[in-house]
Amino acid sequence: MATYKKRSTKSSPSSSQSTTKEVFETLDVTASKTERWVSKNQNYILIAVGVIAIGVLGYLGNQRFILEPKEREVVGEMGQAQEYFNMATNSVMNSDSLYRLSLEGGEGKYGFLEIIDRYRGTKSARLAQYSAGIAYLRLGEYENAIRHLERFKSKDIIFSALAKGAIADSFAGLGQPQDAYEYYLEAIDMSDNDFTAPKFLYKAAILALELERHEDALEFFNTIKNDYPQATEAEHIEIQIAKLETLLR
């Protein structure tokens, strides 16, 4: 059997000293080049550092002296608009007029639209985008709903899923089932929870039936049955599954 012969790693003292000398000479040359480059470009470096420092200080200053006071100021305005919105959501009568007040303001307070415009960059303004979108959806002004909901950004998974689902509802209201279906799929992808997932799975299934995507609809119904059996949408789901299975035979 062949054996591997390890190569000797010992070197003579003179060889080692020579290598060390070469390394230090290389380092000296590199250091000299670096020093010359720094000296030659010192003004540019100082400008770059200054720009970065100004940017950081500007960001911190914007947070502390602009956004934080705005955030405190907008709370009272947002509270009134949100109260109109909540009243509209829970009301059978006059809901349209209450949604309109939540959007446009009342009693000397701003509505969601003014809050979005005047307090942009604040958390309240971002929430106002979502609430404005839902208000327009409830008023049947679907294009306005889509415009605001698409501008809404949130790290909250449930809010993000609800916004995508509301965009889907708006496209469905506009008679654009394919667009609605695609947004329901996005909402499902964001919905790893018992609250939004069955809701959007069911809506996607209904639209899939309209679009004659029967196998997709069956998959959505089965997901509700298996993964979310306690959800409201799971009631009578087996009837829907049985009908589809008969259709697909």
Side-chain angles (χ1 to χ4, degrees), residues 7 24 31 70 81 125 127 132 136 152-153 172-173 208 233:
R7 189 181 303 173
F24 277 108
K70 274 189 171 184
L127 181 59
Y136 277 125
F152 172 71
K153 306 295 179 187
E233 290 77 12

PDB file of all heavy atoms in Angstrom, residues 7 24 31 70 81 125 127 132 136 152-153 172-173 208 233:
ATOM      1  N   ARG A   7       6.141  16.065   3.718  1.00  0.00           N
ATOM      2  CA  ARG A   7       7.243  16.903   3.321  1.00  0.00           C
ATOM      3  C   ARG A   7       7.776  17.655   4.531  1.00  0.00           C
ATOM      4  O   ARG A   7       7.014  18.145   5.354  1.00  0.00           O
ATOM      5  CB  ARG A   7       6.771  17.889   2.248  1.00  0.00           C
ATOM      6  CG  ARG A   7       7.907  18.677   1.611  1.00  0.00           C
ATOM      7  CD  ARG A   7       7.364  19.635   0.578  1.00  0.00           C
ATOM      8  NE  ARG A   7       6.591  18.916  -0.435  1.00  0.00           N
ATOM      9  CZ  ARG A   7       5.885  19.540  -1.378  1.00  0.00           C
ATOM     10  NH1 ARG A   7       5.812  20.852  -1.407  1.00  0.00           N
ATOM     11  NH2 ARG A   7       5.218  18.831  -2.262  1.00  0.00           N
ATOM     12  N   PHE A  24       8.690  42.247   6.110  1.00  0.00           N
ATOM     13  CA  PHE A  24       8.737  43.586   6.707  1.00  0.00           C
ATOM     14  C   PHE A  24       8.960  44.664   5.655  1.00  0.00           C
ATOM     15  O   PHE A  24       8.394  45.760   5.737  1.00  0.00           O
ATOM     16  CB  PHE A  24       9.825  43.659   7.784  1.00  0.00           C
ATOM     17  CG  PHE A  24       9.380  43.145   9.112  1.00  0.00           C
ATOM     18  CD1 PHE A  24       9.852  41.937   9.602  1.00  0.00           C
ATOM     19  CD2 PHE A  24       8.474  43.860   9.886  1.00  0.00           C
ATOM     20  CE1 PHE A  24       9.423  41.445  10.814  1.00  0.00           C
ATOM     21  CE2 PHE A  24       8.053  43.378  11.110  1.00  0.00           C
ATOM     22  CZ  PHE A  24       8.519  42.168  11.588  1.00  0.00           C
ATOM     23  N   ALA A  31       2.746  50.464   3.744  1.00  0.00           N
ATOM     24  CA  ALA A  31       2.437  51.545   4.680  1.00  0.00           C
ATOM     25  C   ALA A  31       2.761  52.892   4.070  1.00  0.00           C
ATOM     26  O   ALA A  31       1.996  53.858   4.204  1.00  0.00           O
ATOM     27  CB  ALA A  31       3.207  51.344   5.975  1.00  0.00           C
ATOM     28  N   LYS A  70     -43.709  65.388  16.868  1.00  0.00           N
ATOM     29  CA  LYS A  70     -44.849  65.142  15.979  1.00  0.00           C
ATOM     30  C   LYS A  70     -45.676  63.970  16.485  1.00  0.00           C
ATOM     31  O   LYS A  70     -46.907  64.004  16.431  1.00  0.00           O
ATOM     32  CB  LYS A  70     -44.361  64.839  14.551  1.00  0.00           C
ATOM     33  CG  LYS A  70     -44.123  66.065  13.692  1.00  0.00           C
ATOM     34  CD  LYS A  70     -43.857  65.641  12.257  1.00  0.00           C
ATOM     35  CE  LYS A  70     -43.827  66.831  11.331  1.00  0.00           C
ATOM     36  NZ  LYS A  70     -43.669  66.425   9.918  1.00  0.00           N
ATOM     37  N   ALA A  81     -60.032  60.718  15.224  1.00  0.00           N
ATOM     38  CA  ALA A  81     -60.296  60.058  13.936  1.00  0.00           C
ATOM     39  C   ALA A  81     -60.572  58.576  14.143  1.00  0.00           C
ATOM     40  O   ALA A  81     -61.486  58.012  13.528  1.00  0.00           O
ATOM     41  CB  ALA A  81     -59.101  60.250  13.000  1.00  0.00           C
ATOM     42  N   ALA A 125     -49.141  58.211  11.414  1.00  0.00           N
ATOM     43  CA  ALA A 125     -49.440  58.430   9.995  1.00  0.00           C
ATOM     44  C   ALA A 125     -49.497  57.112   9.244  1.00  0.00           C
ATOM     45  O   ALA A 125     -50.327  56.922   8.350  1.00  0.00           O
ATOM     46  CB  ALA A 125     -48.406  59.364   9.372  1.00  0.00           C
ATOM     47  N   LEU A 127     -50.338  54.197  10.546  1.00  0.00           N
ATOM     48  CA  LEU A 127     -51.599  53.562  10.939  1.00  0.00           C
ATOM     49  C   LEU A 127     -52.781  54.232  10.249  1.00  0.00           C
ATOM     50  O   LEU A 127     -53.748  53.572   9.857  1.00  0.00           O
ATOM     51  CB  LEU A 127     -51.769  53.611  12.456  1.00  0.00           C
ATOM     52  CG  LEU A 127     -53.040  52.967  13.018  1.00  0.00           C
ATOM     53  CD1 LEU A 127     -53.118  51.501  12.631  1.00  0.00           C
ATOM     54  CD2 LEU A 127     -53.092  53.119  14.536  1.00  0.00           C
ATOM     55  N   ALA A 132     -57.435  54.611   6.773  1.00  0.00           N
ATOM     56  CA  ALA A 132     -58.049  55.310   5.633  1.00  0.00           C
ATOM     57  C   ALA A 132     -58.418  54.316   4.540  1.00  0.00           C
ATOM     58  O   ALA A 132     -59.496  54.395   3.934  1.00  0.00           O
ATOM     59  CB  ALA A 132     -57.094  56.372   5.090  1.00  0.00           C
ATOM     60  N   TYR A 136     -62.225  53.681   3.190  1.00  0.00           N
ATOM     61  CA  TYR A 136     -62.622  53.791   1.780  1.00  0.00           C
ATOM     62  C   TYR A 136     -63.202  52.473   1.267  1.00  0.00           C
ATOM     63  O   TYR A 136     -64.148  52.468   0.463  1.00  0.00           O
ATOM     64  CB  TYR A 136     -61.424  54.200   0.925  1.00  0.00           C
ATOM     65  CG  TYR A 136     -61.162  55.694   0.902  1.00  0.00           C
ATOM     66  CD1 TYR A 136     -59.925  56.217   1.243  1.00  0.00           C
ATOM     67  CD2 TYR A 136     -62.171  56.588   0.512  1.00  0.00           C
ATOM     68  CE1 TYR A 136     -59.680  57.587   1.212  1.00  0.00           C
ATOM     69  CE2 TYR A 136     -61.939  57.957   0.477  1.00  0.00           C
ATOM     70  CZ  TYR A 136     -60.697  58.447   0.831  1.00  0.00           C
ATOM     71  OH  TYR A 136     -60.473  59.808   0.802  1.00  0.00           O
ATOM     72  N   PHE A 152     -49.341  51.400   2.896  1.00  0.00           N
ATOM     73  CA  PHE A 152     -49.204  51.009   4.300  1.00  0.00           C
ATOM     74  C   PHE A 152     -48.089  49.981   4.453  1.00  0.00           C
ATOM     75  O   PHE A 152     -48.060  48.974   3.768  1.00  0.00           O
ATOM     76  CB  PHE A 152     -50.522  50.425   4.808  1.00  0.00           C
ATOM     77  CG  PHE A 152     -50.421  49.808   6.183  1.00  0.00           C
ATOM     78  CD1 PHE A 152     -50.254  50.605   7.306  1.00  0.00           C
ATOM     79  CD2 PHE A 152     -50.493  48.436   6.340  1.00  0.00           C
ATOM     80  CE1 PHE A 152     -50.157  50.031   8.570  1.00  0.00           C
ATOM     81  CE2 PHE A 152     -50.409  47.861   7.603  1.00  0.00           C
ATOM     82  CZ  PHE A 152     -50.242  48.663   8.714  1.00  0.00           C
ATOM     83  N   LYS A 153     -47.158  50.259   5.366  1.00  0.00           N
ATOM     84  CA  LYS A 153     -46.054  49.343   5.655  1.00  0.00           C
ATOM     85  C   LYS A 153     -46.029  49.080   7.158  1.00  0.00           C
ATOM     86  O   LYS A 153     -46.142  50.007   7.959  1.00  0.00           O
ATOM     87  CB  LYS A 153     -44.708  49.941   5.228  1.00  0.00           C
ATOM     88  CG  LYS A 153     -44.647  50.403   3.774  1.00  0.00           C
ATOM     89  CD  LYS A 153     -44.786  49.248   2.812  1.00  0.00           C
ATOM     90  CE  LYS A 153     -44.745  49.742   1.359  1.00  0.00           C
ATOM     91  NZ  LYS A 153     -45.038  48.659   0.414  1.00  0.00           N
ATOM     92  N   ALA A 172     -61.807  42.788  -5.758  1.00  0.00           N
ATOM     93  CA  ALA A 172     -63.039  42.019  -5.965  1.00  0.00           C
ATOM     94  C   ALA A 172     -64.220  42.975  -6.155  1.00  0.00           C
ATOM     95  O   ALA A 172     -65.087  42.740  -7.005  1.00  0.00           O
ATOM     96  CB  ALA A 172     -63.281  41.096  -4.779  1.00  0.00           C
ATOM     97  N   GLY A 173     -64.234  44.053  -5.371  1.00  0.00           N
ATOM     98  CA  GLY A 173     -65.301  45.051  -5.505  1.00  0.00           C
ATOM     99  C   GLY A 173     -65.274  45.753  -6.844  1.00  0.00           C
ATOM    100  O   GLY A 173     -66.312  46.182  -7.350  1.00  0.00           O
ATOM    101  N   ALA A 208     -61.222  31.170  -6.379  1.00  0.00           N
ATOM    102  CA  ALA A 208     -60.677  30.102  -7.225  1.00  0.00           C
ATOM    103  C   ALA A 208     -61.805  29.364  -7.956  1.00  0.00           C
ATOM    104  O   ALA A 208     -61.663  28.996  -9.129  1.00  0.00           O
ATOM    105  CB  ALA A 208     -59.866  29.123  -6.377  1.00  0.00           C
ATOM    106  N   GLU A 233     -64.687  29.627   9.535  1.00  0.00           N
ATOM    107  CA  GLU A 233     -64.689  29.226   8.119  1.00  0.00           C
ATOM    108  C   GLU A 233     -64.719  27.707   7.941  1.00  0.00           C
ATOM    109  O   GLU A 233     -65.042  27.218   6.851  1.00  0.00           O
ATOM    110  CB  GLU A 233     -63.454  29.803   7.414  1.00  0.00           C
ATOM    111  CG  GLU A 233     -63.462  31.303   7.214  1.00  0.00           C
ATOM    112  CD  GLU A 233     -63.126  32.083   8.481  1.00  0.00           C
ATOM    113  OE1 GLU A 233     -62.670  31.451   9.470  1.00  0.00           O
ATOM    114  OE2 GLU A 233     -63.305  33.302   8.482  1.00  0.00           O
TER     115      GLU A 233
END
